[in-house]
Amino acid sequence: MPALWIVAILLALAAAGYLAGRARAIRSAGGDRRNMHSLPSYYGANVAMTVLIPALGLLVLWSLIQPSLIERSIADDIPAAAIGGDTTLDLMMADVRRVAGGLDQLGTPTLITKPAEAPSEEFLSGLREDLGSVGVALASDIAPGVFRAARSYQLAEANGRFWMTIAVLGVGVLGLAAAYAVTNREFRARNVVERGILAGLILCALIAILTTLGIVLSMLFETQNFFSQYSWTEFFFGLEWAPDFRGNSSLSIIPLLWGTLYISLIALLVAVPIGLFAAIYLSEYASPRMRTYAKPMIEVLAGIPTIVYGLFALITVGPILRDYFALPMGIGESASSVATAGVVMGVMLIPFVSSLSDDIINAVPQAMRDGSFGLGATHSETIRQVVIPAALPGIVGAILLAASRAIGETMIVVLGAGAAAAQFNRGLGELVNPFEAMTTVTVKIVSQLTGDTDFASPETLVAFALGLTLFVITLGLNVLALYIVRKYREQYE
Amino acid sequence: MNDLALAAKTEAALKPKISAKGVDVYYADNHAIKNVDVNILDKTVTAFIGPSGCGKSTFLRCLNRMNDTIDIARIEGEILLDGEDIYDPKVDPVQLRAKVGMVFQKPNPFPKSIFDNVSYGPRIHGMARNKAELEEIVESALRRAALWDEVKDRLLAPGTGLSGGQQQRLCIARAVATAPEVLLMDEPCSALDPIATAQIEELIDELRQNYSLVIVTHSMQQAARVSQKTAFFHLGNLVEYGETGHIFTNPEDSRTEAYITGRIG
Ligand SMILES: Nc1ncnc2c1ncn2[C@@H]1O[C@H](COP(=O)(O)OP(=O)(O)O)[C@@H](O)[C@H]1O
Ligand SMILES: [Mg+2]
């Protein structure tokens, strides 16, 4: 039975349990709800909860564990002799899974063949065609071993699913019976439901935390893989980025990090003053009417997809910068440049800075401004000397947030600054020239992972090391932001 | 001859520092102050009393044009400071507020050091030629606010770290440091405990030597203790204005009497 059906049946059971539990509680109190410990709905909810939670938990666990168990037992059955040449166990298992899936879809009587029997040649090539017709395209004829493995895989799976259905529904029914049995007017259903809700909340928090942890761990694992094949000193302290899928690559993060930081710096140089001044205008000077129109309009910028910004960089900003600045000054002839990506990214970040700063400036108490006005300060003196200092921790937080956005941005860089890593051997002049094409860590992560690659060579695994380094950097930025905010808060509270 | 000299002297003493004539204030359609005439004397403490919402703060804020910062407020009538109309277009409200300082109900020190709080006004008005002079101004302001001894060792600590009473005295020092001629105080003690209140009252009495002070208060005892003149507001009207002793012992208007005996308010 498909999982969806199992869930539907469980829900129906839970609904029935709700009504039954509720009714039983009311009956035990002689129809007078004042005699009950909790409101009737709590008794119903308790029964429904006891039906759903253990059963659904079992369903999830079973679905997670079953495939790997089956796979292991099938893999054990495949003779070592069948593996070799240009195939590996992993590739073979992928074929097995695909054939099994196809057989499931076909569901035709051709499948009477028992796993133990040797299928005939023509049966197998006929099967290949049949499978092709349901969308399972195979590169070569199915080997008899693969067919047998796929059959047993299919049978084991059907078997597992059958027992899972029984077990899950059984647990559901048991839960219903048990919760129904304990329901009477003195049962503290309210407290139990409360604890159930608490557990649900904790579970959600755990999922969020565990996911993060899982991401970090998988990155760590792959990164470690990378460093077992490539020297870490070379990665962190080398000066050259020259991947070569035939091997012998130079994979140093420094040129990419340089591009990332340079472009982010330009982006912040654009976004911070403009965003901050816009926020000051909006919160201090604009009339309420102006504010209601202007603020959403600035925030529209935040809703534009970054690929659109990238196009803007590619066809508008890049050529303008090249034709009016780079070429006349004779310092560059490419439209793809650090400046292009930086400026466009800066525009993208304006709403981040302005919107957050605006909220923060608004949160500065009016009493603070009154105090300053009362001493004969002008509006701008008040803003410079009282409002901004009071809002500074929040503003710094907003800027660091914008910085981590800038560091993680990819699309605008690809289209605005190109995909060529900075080259340290060409001298400092080219490195600091904002009209030079350059690229960032994120872009290289994408380009190392796209294309026909397996996840085994240092050229692909380097993506994980890059990603992890980037993660550590943004994490550091966030920690720094928190630290600054806290320090100021202590000082001024 | 003797008589003449005496008359001249009383004349000088009675010359009002601030004189308001026919002042009306509207918040959009709300008529908050209705045709108020009042003369505020120099080197005198004037108390504004009256039930909540009667317009004491509104009127006080008219005296240094703090109502300018409220969009919907509209003021009519004439307010003269030393004979000059403060609502004249020629007058710069910012300059005016340096002359007519203000202390607020809730202490509102800036998120800066104690020193920077007090030197804020002198700095923006360019009152000191050098650092030494600035330090002198700060010290004398803190002394006049009776705060010097408590903070002289930690002038660089944040002003927000002081106790409520100390913060309010810091705000008074901050106002005094700008060398105003008039000091407006809107319920300066309402957030303070009795000891801090007593200190502030003592301070007000001392400041009277040099300034004209106006204090809004909800405490009848406080008005009686610190002020020489009292104005009673009710529903936006100035009901009665006169010698403090007279108002409290012998009110002419029945509403004043009802208020000070606790029957309205
Ligand atoms: N900023 C403001 N905007 C609109 N109405 C106000 C504002 N300040 C005060 N008012 C109104 O003006 C009247 C007088 O208020 P206020 O001067 O604060 O009284 P008091 O200080 O005597 O308690 C009240 O009706 C109040 O609602
Ligand atoms: Mg008031």
Side-chain angles (χ1 to χ4, degrees):
Chain A
M1 202 182 302
L4 207 62
W5 271 104
I6 302 179
V7 173
I9 292 175
L10 281 179
L11 284 177
L13 263 182
Y18 179 90
L19 296 175
R22 204 184 120 111
R24 182 181 162 107
I26 293 178
R27 237 180 299 119
S28 79
D32 185 349
R33 64 173 52 186
R34 284 173 305 177
N35 290 338
M36 302 159 68
H37 172 269
S38 315
L39 289 176
S41 59
Y42 279 114
Y43 293 94
N46 174 47
V47 178
M49 230 169 61
T50 325
V51 171
L52 282 180
I53 291 175
L56 285 180
L58 182 65
L59 180 65
V60 170
L61 272 184
W62 196 303
S63 315
L64 285 180
I65 293 172
Q66 177 181 310
S68 64
L69 282 186
I70 293 181
E71 211 151 294
R72 193 166 315 154
S73 81
I74 303 277
D76 286 347
D77 284 352
I78 292 179
I83 307 164
D86 57 352
T87 176
T88 65
L89 184 61
D90 276 352
L91 289 177
M92 194 148 164
M93 281 310 295
D95 270 353
V96 169
R97 271 194 304 272
R98 267 149 50 88
V99 172
L103 290 176
D104 270 347
Q105 264 175 310
L106 283 172
T108 54
T110 48
L111 304 183
I112 38 171
T113 327
K114 296 221 169 52
E117 281 171 39
S120 68
E121 285 279 320
E122 71 226 74
F123 169 79
L124 283 178
S125 60
L127 183 63
R128 184 180 166 201
E129 254 164 51
D130 287 349
L131 287 176
S133 71
V134 295
V136 181
L138 293 167
S140 57
D141 269 347
I142 306 163
V146 170
F147 176 74
R148 244 177 287 127
R151 270 303 282 157
S152 34
Y153 187 92
Q154 200 194 0
L155 287 180
E157 225 181 20
N159 220 357
R161 239 178 329 202
F162 172 74
W163 286 111
M164 178 176 80
T165 309
I166 301 241
V168 168
L169 292 184
V171 167
V173 171
L174 271 182
L176 178 78
Y180 185 75
V182 297
T183 300
N184 70 46
R185 63 176 200 83
E186 270 167 14
F187 179 66
R188 301 188 173 187
R190 194 177 176 202
N191 309 24
V192 175
V193 171
E194 194 70 13
R195 249 176 290 143
I197 290 173
L198 176 66
L201 299 180
I202 290 177
L203 183 74
C204 289
L206 269 184
I207 288 177
I209 295 170
L210 288 181
T211 316
T212 319
L213 209 66
I215 292 175
V216 173
L217 282 182
S218 77
M219 298 277 286
L220 266 178
F221 181 72
E222 299 289 354
T223 305
Q224 197 202 347
N225 243 346
F226 169 68
F227 284 130
S228 68
Q229 302 182 27
Y230 194 85
S231 125
W232 65 272
T233 45
E234 199 48 31
F235 176 74
F236 283 114
F237 303 112
L239 290 179
E240 198 187 8
W241 176 265
D244 185 340
F245 281 103
R246 284 160 305 182
N248 216 356
S249 313
S250 297
L251 302 169
S252 161
I253 193 173
I254 297 284
L256 307 182
L257 212 51
W258 171 255
T260 299
L261 296 182
Y262 198 5
I263 293 177
S264 304
L265 178 77
I266 293 184
L268 289 181
L269 285 180
V270 172
V272 170
I274 296 182
L276 194 57
F277 292 149
I280 289 173
Y281 169 70
L282 282 182
S283 55
E284 293 287 326
Y285 291 97
S287 66
R289 243 175 79 87
M290 180 72 194
R291 226 177 112 80
T292 48
Y293 290 112
K295 200 170 179 197
M297 264 157 70
I298 292 180
E299 275 159 13
V300 164
L301 282 179
I304 299 176
T306 55
I307 184 75
V308 176
Y309 279 110
L311 291 175
F312 179 57
L314 184 70
I315 59 176
T316 314
V317 178
I320 288 179
L321 286 179
R322 180 192 56 198
D323 296 343
Y324 294 96
F325 294 93
L327 285 180
M329 287 193 282
I331 50 175
E333 51 246 22
S334 132
S336 297
S337 67
V338 170
T340 306
V343 167
V344 174
M345 209 191 276
V347 174
M348 176 193 81
L349 293 177
I350 288 173
F352 278 88
V353 178
S354 79
S355 196
L356 282 171
S357 306
D358 179 53
D359 292 344
I360 292 154
I361 291 173
N362 270 325
V364 174
Q366 182 62 30
M368 219 60 104
R369 298 188 182 87
D370 283 348
S372 174
F373 289 139
L375 291 169
T378 63
H379 204 152
S380 81
E381 283 165 347
T382 303
I383 292 168
R384 257 185 297 135
Q385 310 209 14
V386 175
V387 177
I388 297 292
L392 200 60
I395 292 175
V396 170
I399 292 172
L400 289 181
L401 195 71
S404 37
R405 271 292 302 232
I407 288 175
E409 179 50 44
T410 311
M411 272 310 161
I412 295 178
V413 181
V414 175
L415 295 179
Q423 293 187 317
F424 275 61
N425 52 11
R426 295 237 201 113
L428 191 65
E430 236 171 67
L431 277 184
V432 298
N433 182 354
F435 295 104
E436 203 63 45
M438 222 175 261
T439 202
T440 60
V441 178
T442 51
V443 172
K444 281 304 171 196
I445 292 179
V446 175
S447 65
Q448 292 311 101
L449 290 184
T450 41
D452 192 18
T453 52
D454 56 355
F455 287 91
S457 65
E459 285 75 21
T460 41
L461 287 175
V462 69
F464 295 97
L466 291 174
L468 193 65
T469 314
L470 213 54
F471 172 76
V472 170
I473 290 174
T474 35
L475 188 73
L477 271 184
N478 288 346
V479 170
L480 184 70
L482 276 181
Y483 171 77
I484 291 175
V485 168
R486 206 162 293 155
K487 195 173 154 188
Y488 273 86
R489 196 171 288 154
E490 264 167 27
Q491 201 167 343
Y492 291 138
E493 208 139 39
Chain B
M1 173 72 195
N2 216 357
D3 272 8
L4 218 72
L6 197 70
K9 214 172 156 194
T10 34
E11 171 78 351
L14 286 179
K15 192 160 168 275
K17 183 74 185 168
I18 295 179
S19 114
K21 289 194 197 95
V23 174
D24 283 278
V25 181
Y26 303 85
Y27 290 111
D29 296 333
N30 177 11
H31 196 173
I33 290 289
K34 295 163 190 157
N35 194 23
V36 167
D37 293 320
V38 73
N39 284 332
I40 287 161
L41 304 183
D42 204 3
K43 307 213 189 320
T44 307
V45 178
T46 306
F48 287 179
I49 61 171
S52 271
C54 67
K56 307 179 296 289
S57 300
T58 301
F59 187 68
L60 195 73
R61 291 162 63 91
C62 287
L63 302 181
N64 70 345
R65 295 188 56 173
M66 278 298 277
N67 283 333
D68 289 16
T69 60
I70 299 171
D71 292 331
I72 54 170
R74 201 173 84 244
I75 293 135
E76 288 168 6
E78 190 185 55
I79 298 177
L80 307 178
L81 173 71
D82 291 328
E84 278 179 57
D85 186 358
I86 63 170
Y87 281 92
D88 190 290
K90 285 195 305 248
V91 172
D92 177 5
V94 169
Q95 296 279 296
L96 171 74
R97 290 186 204 127
K99 274 198 268 179
V100 185
M102 187 150 195
V103 173
F104 298 82
Q105 178 169 357
K106 251 185 77 193
N108 57 349
F110 301 135
K112 297 171 180 295
S113 70
I114 294 172
F115 184 89
D116 285 345
N117 260 283
V118 181
S119 63
Y120 184 82
R123 270 203 184 121
I124 55 178
H125 297 300
M127 290 165 62
R129 265 170 306 179
N130 52 42
K131 184 107 175 64
E133 254 182 53
L134 193 64
E135 278 166 7
E136 220 168 274
I137 293 176
V138 169
E139 177 175 343
S140 84
L142 283 169
R143 280 191 193 284
R144 303 182 82 168
L147 193 59
W148 176 252
D149 291 333
E150 288 158 65
V151 302
K152 61 171 185 269
D153 301 323
R154 49 171 173 154
L155 289 175
L156 298 181
T160 40
L162 298 172
S163 76
Q166 289 174 323
Q167 285 189 11
Q168 194 63 304
R169 276 180 283 152
L170 178 65
C171 292
I172 294 175
R174 193 172 72 181
V176 167
T178 2
E181 296 162 21
V182 181
L183 200 53
L184 310 175
M185 300 183 163
D186 194 348
E187 300 182 35
C189 302
S190 65
L192 304 184
D193 63 71
I195 294 173
T197 301
Q199 285 169 327
I200 303 263
E201 284 180 8
E202 208 172 298
L203 182 59
I204 291 172
D205 208 49
E206 271 170 42
L207 293 175
R208 180 161 65 94
Q209 315 299 323
N210 303 291
Y211 306 101
S212 162
L213 286 112
V214 185
I215 171 170
V216 172
T217 174
H218 271 132
S219 153
M220 244 61 73
Q221 289 85 345
Q222 185 171 61
R225 277 194 305 262
V226 301
S227 73
Q228 289 77 52
K229 292 272 192 181
T230 296
F232 171 66
F233 287 82
H234 189 239
L235 299 178
N237 297 302
L238 176 60
V239 173
E240 196 166 343
Y241 176 57
E243 296 293 330
T244 298
H246 189 73
I247 296 249
F248 279 100
T249 52
N250 222 341
E252 269 151 37
D253 196 287
S254 59
R255 285 170 291 178
T256 317
E257 190 189 353
Y259 180 69
I260 59 182
T261 53
R263 271 181 286 139
I264 57 173

